[in-house]
Amino acid sequence: MRHRCENEVDALELAGDFPHATYEDWLKRVEETLKGADFDKTLTSRTYDGLAIAPLYSRETSPVAPEWPGLAPYTRGVHPAPQEPLPWAVAQAQAHPDPAEANRAIRDELANGVTALVLRVAETAGAPGLQVSTRADLARALDGVDLARIPVHLDAGARAGEAAALLAALWEERAVAPADRAGSLGLDPLGTLAATGTLPGGLDRHLGLLREALGAMIDEGAPVSVATVDTRPYHGAGASEAQELAAALATGVAYLRAADAAGLDLDAVARRVRLVTVVDADIFLTCAKLRAMRRLWARILEASGIAAAPATVAAETASRMLTRYDPWVNMLRTTAAAFAAGIGGADAITVAPYTGAIGLPDGFARRIARNIQLILREESGLGRVVDPAGGSWYVEHLTDALAEKAWALFQDIEAEGGMARALLSGRIQEQIAETRAMRQGDLARRKAAITGVSTFPKLDGEPAPVREAASPQAPESGDVAEASSFADLCAGARAGKAVALATGGEAARCEPLPAWRLAEDFEALRDAAEARRAETGVQPSVFLANLGRLADFNVRATWSRNLFGAGGLSAPANDGFADAQSAAEAFRASGAEIAAICSTDAIYADMAAETARALKAAGAKRVYLAGRPGDAAAALEEAGVDGFVHEGCDVLAVLRDAHEALALTGA
């Protein structure tokens, strides 16, 4: 069968009976509709990197440069054709402290569709994560797992060297041939420094360990990723997409330089670097970030004189978007994020359980996380098309703009001495703090809404079930073999001892990046309100002083109920009041201590001031008015209105003020 060429496709008149519309035609119609309003302010939004998001993209405004799947720079993906039936590895993280319990969960995951494992190894005794100190501990966690078939990815922070030695020893014990070993050892000293603020023994010691592990895997011919470039600490602290990408590039270059200083084959090293990035519910921006990451890494290799090789990109759903209240909405968030990872061409995807912000997931939470991927892959068929977003003028433009911005930020880091110096000086932390502050401002005004928390809160929701786990006892100090090299760590692991990296010398220290979640400030208010409810049996409340008929107050009353609910304050409905005195009497009888006046602007003109005075006389500690006061602000404040609540106001400031009035702060 003869395929049509591009020109023939362009000649098809699918809308032949309609006049051809150009971008200029559309723009003219828009300007007529705007009636003089500023186009950019009205219709153009911006990302936290300052990238403009236009309302429409077209061939004229955003021409697409030709790139092909499977070819450098791999923007459109690593493979030239769909990789059915496994377009990406379905990974699942395990963090239960007990190796036996973790093994039960692992067996269940592998029997139900998971194709790769991520082990969150505890960094210290009693810390969150899988407690493994010896090869036997790891063997219990991986009992029954075919290590020649199932990739194992380690996430152990400062203990990455020890965990890597245990896995290497277990591969040997189970006679897994080097060529059949799969997974990643997870050595990421710069990422650990960024996340924790400290690196015992200093950065040079850990970079030396990384070089040794790379050399060992290269010499053995094991196709195992050794160096991990993990962007989770930066994303979790509130970084923008370009900041996240720039940190990844600068970190990757630092590891390539360390390997080059040891005389390692950089072509072989590049194939053993794993990029771990974060995906969230912003589908288009996340998809563009994954595409830009592959393109930028290819550019790094090209500039370094390294043979072209596609980046191995693993995606994990964002921890910062998860909420503790109404956590079932997290299922929607992680589904959107996993979808973005799938169309963005991730090689492996890890979906966080919906209870990830609360505690250890139970079987149901793990099953939902797993099935999100399986449904996207098997039923939605995301893997049946290579780069499904490719050719979209919007996605292509966003990819280009994001890559350009990230490259500029990366060059700034390099110009100032590289990633290590940028972390130790606090420059990276300061830049991310500025972005985090912008995010916090948008969250406070609900410009960025958090469904179930800052908007549409459910005050009577049941808590989601999580598992409780007691950590196994740490090994006695006599069982621990300290070692200063990767070879010695592996020898100790083979001997059955608990291994620990010798950390003599001064630790590297910097300001740690905070592990931040978007919902934290609102959840703190909810916590205080829930503590009061647990103490008294009554939910703290706001009295709605609804004036007039239902049609007069319903919109603003409903909106106010939503707003105060975000702070854990209930706002019971009522039928409204015909005059100020009736509202004040109902307020006094309600037992509430604060009130919100709700009605139309016309009724406010006649009754708002009188109602505010009456509520204050009835003992109201705070009186709010729903709506913008306009020129009446001063008169209303003089009458007793303490604040005005409306779309775009600082919701967090209002709620904190209400909590202060109710003596809930710090409850």
Side-chain angles (χ1 to χ4, degrees):
M1 177 179 178
R2 188 176 72 89
H3 295 280
R4 289 182 179 271
C5 69
E6 183 179 354
N7 290 336
E8 288 177 303
V9 173
D10 289 343
L12 288 175
E13 291 293 340
L14 300 180
D17 294 332
F18 298 91
H20 179 64
T22 66
Y23 178 80
E24 287 70 23
D25 294 333
W26 172 84
L27 188 59
K28 182 179 179 180
R29 292 293 184 92
V30 169
E31 289 173 346
E32 291 173 358
T33 303
L34 289 177
K35 298 179 180 178
D38 185 272
F39 178 92
D40 286 335
K41 289 183 179 180
T42 306
L43 296 178
T44 300
S45 61
R46 294 190 179 274
T47 72
Y48 288 102
D49 287 307
L51 306 180
I53 305 297
L56 182 70
Y57 291 87
S58 68
R59 187 190 306 273
E60 297 96 325
T61 63
S62 307
V64 177
E67 290 188 57
W68 306 102
L71 296 178
Y74 306 105
T75 305
R76 300 200 59 192
V78 173
H79 304 288
Q83 298 299 293
E84 293 283 29
L86 300 175
W88 66 78
V90 177
Q92 194 79 350
Q94 297 297 332
H96 197 289
D98 187 340
E101 286 292 327
N103 179 253
R104 277 190 278 274
I106 286 170
R107 286 173 175 261
D108 177 64
E109 302 284 14
L110 295 176
N112 289 283
V114 165
T115 61
L117 301 174
V118 177
L119 300 184
R120 311 268 197 230
V121 178
E123 296 193 42
T124 59
L130 176 64
Q131 294 281 347
V132 290
S133 300
T134 66
R135 185 189 72 242
D137 293 336
L138 187 59
R140 281 195 293 274
L142 296 175
D143 182 43
V145 177
D146 183 355
L147 296 182
R149 187 176 63 88
I150 301 298
V152 176
H153 303 283
L154 298 177
D155 177 11
R159 287 196 63 212
E162 294 101 305
L166 297 178
L167 181 57
L170 186 60
W171 277 329
E172 291 183 21
E173 181 184 50
R174 296 191 182 175
V176 180
D180 293 332
R181 297 172 186 176
S184 58
L185 302 185
L187 278 74
D188 183 17
L190 288 172
T192 300
L193 179 62
T196 65
T198 183
L199 206 56
L203 181 58
D204 288 343
R205 179 180 294 273
H206 287 266
L207 287 175
L209 192 69
L210 172 62
R211 287 191 291 264
E212 294 169 14
L214 280 166
M217 294 301 110
I218 291 172
D219 290 343
E220 293 176 3
V224 175
S225 295
V226 177
T228 291
V229 176
D230 190 350
T231 68
R232 289 177 301 165
Y234 311 99
H235 188 278
S240 69
E241 286 71 24
Q243 287 172 335
E244 185 183 345
L245 289 172
L249 297 178
T251 300
V253 167
Y255 296 160
L256 292 175
R257 287 197 179 110
D260 188 41
L264 298 177
D265 178 357
L266 292 188
D267 289 351
V269 169
R271 293 193 297 271
R272 289 168 174 81
V273 176
R274 184 173 188 253
L275 308 179
V276 177
T277 191
V278 183
V279 291
D280 61 28
D282 190 327
I283 292 173
F284 292 110
L285 198 53
T286 294
C287 175
K289 180 174 69 175
L290 289 168
R291 301 171 91 246
M293 176 171 274
R294 287 192 297 273
R295 177 188 295 178
L296 292 170
W297 185 247
R299 188 172 179 182
I300 290 290
L301 299 187
E302 180 184 21
S304 304
I306 300 173
T312 299
V313 179
E316 295 200 8
T317 57
S319 59
R320 80 181 183 199
M321 70 178 178
L322 299 182
T323 64
R324 290 191 288 110
Y325 287 94
D326 205 357
W328 291 272
V329 182
N330 290 334
M331 297 182 194
L332 304 179
R333 298 183 179 103
T334 54
T335 298
F339 176 84
I343 64 174
D347 298 295
I349 303 175
T350 303
V351 174
Y354 75 98
T355 55
I358 305 172
L360 284 174
D362 63 1
F364 176 74
R366 288 190 292 104
R367 179 165 64 89
I368 292 297
R370 179 177 67 239
N371 285 352
I372 284 171
Q373 293 202 60
L374 298 180
I375 291 171
L376 288 174
R377 191 185 72 183
E378 304 294 340
E379 298 186 22
S380 299
L382 293 193
R384 295 174 189 164
V385 178
V386 174
D387 188 29
S392 159
W393 295 307
Y394 173 37
V395 173
E396 297 288 0
H397 173 84
L398 197 54
T399 300
D400 293 344
L402 189 53
E404 183 177 341
K405 179 69 175 181
W407 188 260
L409 293 178
F410 159 67
Q411 289 180 312
D412 289 343
I413 295 172
E414 287 293 288
E416 295 191 13
M419 192 62 184
R421 184 170 295 179
L423 284 172
L424 294 172
S425 70
R427 179 180 180 276
I428 295 292
Q429 295 88 328
E430 291 172 2
Q431 289 181 336
I432 293 176
E434 292 175 1
T435 304
R436 184 171 64 252
M438 289 191 290
R439 293 186 187 278
Q440 289 171 323
D442 287 345
L443 291 165
R445 297 190 304 276
R446 298 199 300 189
K447 181 179 179 181
I450 308 172
T451 303
V453 178
S454 69
T455 59
F456 307 108
K458 185 175 175 59
L459 298 186
D460 58 350
E462 292 293 325
V466 293
R467 298 189 66 182
E468 295 184 5
S471 299
Q473 190 169 0
E476 298 292 333
S477 58
D479 297 330
V480 179
E482 284 197 351
S484 58
S485 70
F486 185 68
D488 290 343
L489 286 172
C490 290
R494 283 193 295 268
K497 297 180 179 180
V499 294
L501 180 66
T503 55
E506 185 177 356
R509 299 186 186 280
C510 72
E511 183 69 24
L513 290 169
W516 173 70
R517 286 183 303 105
L518 303 176
E520 281 183 3
D521 289 336
F522 286 98
E523 289 176 345
L525 296 170
R526 290 285 297 271
D527 289 344
E530 289 302 311
R532 176 65 61 83
R533 184 188 64 79
E535 177 186 345
T536 65
V538 178
Q539 190 80 32
S541 65
V542 177
F543 176 79
L544 296 181
N546 296 326
L547 303 179
R549 302 168 302 163
L550 178 64
D552 297 323
F553 61 75
N554 187 50
V555 171
R556 281 175 169 162
T558 302
W559 186 91
S560 298
R561 186 178 300 112
N562 185 309
L563 180 144
F564 288 107
L569 309 179
S570 68
N574 56 59
D575 295 331
F577 306 97
D579 55 70
Q581 194 57 40
S582 298
E585 290 175 0
F587 167 77
R588 188 180 292 108
S590 71
E593 297 178 82
I594 59 179
I597 302 172
C598 303
S599 194
T600 63
D601 290 347
I603 291 178
Y604 285 164
D606 294 333
M607 297 177 58
E610 182 185 0
T611 303
R613 285 190 289 268
L615 290 169
K616 283 289 189 176
K621 295 180 179 179
R622 294 286 191 279
V623 173
Y624 302 99
L625 183 138
R628 297 178 185 272
D631 296 337
L636 289 169
E637 289 172 349
E638 184 178 355
V641 174
D642 297 291
F644 304 96
V645 294
H646 51 78
E647 198 65 41
C649 74
D650 190 330
V651 174
L652 272 176
V654 170
L655 293 176
R656 285 167 176 159
D657 179 67
H659 272 235
E660 182 180 353
L662 297 173
L664 291 176
T665 305

